[in-house]
Amino acid sequence: MKIMGISLLMMGCLMVFSLGIDIFQGFDVSQALYNAVSPFRVREVAELFVLFFLLFLLNLCIFL
């Protein structure tokens, strides 16, 4: 439970930091939020392939 709390706290701090950087660069708040919650829209096809391949391997390791 402590690990989940620390992970959520770190995620929150990093998202606030990311939003602050986006706002500092001149984005409005809605665009900064969109950038923070949609990281997979900037991926290349090869990066998505590797991501799904690693998720598939992780899935195999968990259920074997």
Side-chain angles (χ1 to χ4, degrees), residues 4-64:
M4 293 246 333
I6 291 171
S7 298
L8 290 173
L9 180 66
M10 287 176 58
M11 183 185 75
C13 290
L14 289 173
M15 284 187 71
V16 168
F17 183 68
S18 174
L19 289 173
I21 288 176
D22 282 346
I23 291 171
F24 184 69
Q25 287 180 344
F27 293 110
D28 57 350
V29 176
S30 63
Q31 184 64 33
L33 283 171
Y34 182 73
N35 288 340
V37 297
S38 61
F40 293 109
R41 67 179 173 84
V42 295
R43 302 276 188 208
E44 297 282 333
V45 175
E47 291 173 330
L48 286 174
F49 177 75
V50 170
L51 173 70
F52 289 129
F53 180 71
L54 290 174
L55 288 174
F56 175 74
L57 287 178
L58 178 67
N59 192 17
L60 283 178
C61 292
I62 289 174
F63 290 112
L64 284 180

